[in-house]
Amino acid sequence: MKRLMSIGLVAVLIFAVVMAGCVGSSGETTTSGPTETYSITIYTGSTSGVYYPLGSTYANILQKYSKDETGIQIDAKAVTSGASVSNAQAIGDGRAQAAIMQNDVAYYAYNGVILDAFKDNAVKNLRGIAALYPETIQFVVKADSDIKSLEDLAGKKVAVGAAGSGTAVAAQQILEAAGVWDKIDPVWLSFTEATQQLKLGQIDAAVIVSGAPTPAVDQIAVQTPVRIIPIGDDILQKLHDKGYIFYVSQTLPKDTYNGMTEDTPTLAVKAVLVVSADVPDDVVYAMTKLLFLHIDELRQVHAKAQYISLDTALDGMSIPLHPGAIKYYEEQGKTIPDELKP
């Protein structure tokens, strides 16, 4: 009788352990048969932007291919959000395990600087997977304007972005590097407000940080031709010297907007795919691998995905990489800079 009771007790304990392993929520590893399962929530942006279609397609890629191609079943879902700042906060408090955001915001969040949202709330568990595509910094003027350079903005009324936004911070940093921030008349406006006021002649220039061509600029350029003020490598070097490593150079083709007559050098920040440091190394390795194995599917849903490349995956990365991503890159023969190692 005692022997039968002991066998029964062991059976109950084994059943309890198995059942416990089958219960999981976002950010937890579970098992179901021989395949490990990991659930993640990916924060993106609004449905009208770029982050959501790319993020939701990436979630589908993880869901569809992870088991067969990596041996880990990644149950991923993408959700809409307020974009970069709220995405960093969601990584910080565990609501998200992965997200897309601007690399400058990632830098501010990780270091707890610049933006009020992070000054007393640094997101130290933020880690990088890959830089994705450029979000172009565009100093927009009318095509017939006499403003030809950043220095020409002195004494002019310039829309520098919404108050407290990443655009406003970028505008100030760039104009400080050019020595004219204290010489302009700054106006804090959204992209749509700024372009409309530019069209009406109520401001002289508008600063837009977005993938180009930007719809708000494109819409006014049909009737009001525009130009982009060039920003050279000298400004980029000054920004890097100040520690703003997230800026990269970019050239806008002359057919980007009606009114442009030549290719124009400017700067950009990068959209980056980030993850929580709490996600296991093997899961992030799988996420990184699947991103590059299935770039073509991302490129089918948005033109910006054409910029996603293994060759440029570290360009503009502004926070430490996750060890799982480092493992993948090193297998591909990439050298990881010391500043990107956690």
Side-chain angles (χ1 to χ4, degrees), residues 12 25 87 108 146 148 157 171 214 216:
V12 169
S25 57
N87 290 0
Y108 303 146
D146 60 356
K148 307 294 184 182
K157 186 175 288 188
T214 303

Side-chain angles (χ1 to χ4, degrees), residues 146-217:
D146 60 356
I147 300 172
K148 307 294 184 182
S149 68
L150 294 179
E151 290 75 17
D152 291 339
L153 291 172
K156 305 296 185 180
K157 186 175 288 188
V158 182
V160 296
S165 67
T167 295
V169 172
Q172 181 173 346
Q173 290 171 347
I174 291 168
L175 291 174
E176 283 179 344
V180 294
W181 172 251
D182 293 333
K183 301 175 183 178
I184 68 165
D185 181 9
V187 183
W188 284 268
L189 299 171
S190 70
F191 293 167
T192 300
E193 293 169 333
T195 52
Q196 290 302 314
Q197 289 200 20
L198 180 68
K199 178 180 179 179
L200 296 172
Q202 297 171 339
I203 59 173
D204 300 296
V207 184
I208 307 290
V209 180
S210 177
T214 303
V217 180

Side-chain angles (χ1 to χ4, degrees), residues 62-86:
L62 297 179
Q63 190 80 31
K64 182 177 179 180
Y65 299 109
S66 57
K67 179 179 177 180
D68 291 339
E69 297 184 5
T70 70
I72 301 172
Q73 178 58 52
I74 301 175
D75 290 338
K77 66 176 180 179
V79 299
T80 59
S81 74
S84 295
V85 172
S86 60

Side-chain angles (χ1 to χ4, degrees), residues 174-299:
I174 291 168
L175 291 174
E176 283 179 344
V180 294
W181 172 251
D182 293 333
K183 301 175 183 178
I184 68 165
D185 181 9
V187 183
W188 284 268
L189 299 171
S190 70
F191 293 167
T192 300
E193 293 169 333
T195 52
Q196 290 302 314
Q197 289 200 20
L198 180 68
K199 178 180 179 179
L200 296 172
Q202 297 171 339
I203 59 173
D204 300 296
V207 184
I208 307 290
V209 180
S210 177
T214 303
V217 180
D218 227 5
Q219 288 168 7
I220 71 159
V222 174
Q223 295 181 331
T224 306
V226 300
R227 283 187 292 104
I228 305 299
I229 300 174
I231 306 176
D233 288 341
D234 57 329
I235 298 296
L236 179 62
Q237 187 59 55
K238 289 179 181 179
L239 291 166
H240 284 184
D241 289 345
K242 290 185 177 182
Y244 303 140
I245 59 173
F246 37 80
Y247 289 109
V248 297
S249 61
Q250 185 185 9
T251 298
L252 285 183
K254 62 183 179 181
D255 59 355
T256 302
Y257 298 115
N258 180 41
M260 293 179 63
T261 58
E262 58 187 8
D263 296 347
T264 304
T266 185
L267 304 181
V269 292
K270 297 287 285 286
V272 292
L273 178 63
V274 302
V275 68
S276 169
D278 300 328
V279 181
D281 292 1
D282 58 345
V283 175
V284 178
Y285 173 86
M287 293 172 67
T288 312
K289 179 179 181 179
L290 292 168
L291 171 69
F292 293 106
L293 283 179
H294 298 282
I295 289 177
D296 287 345
E297 292 189 33
L298 294 170
R299 290 172 178 166

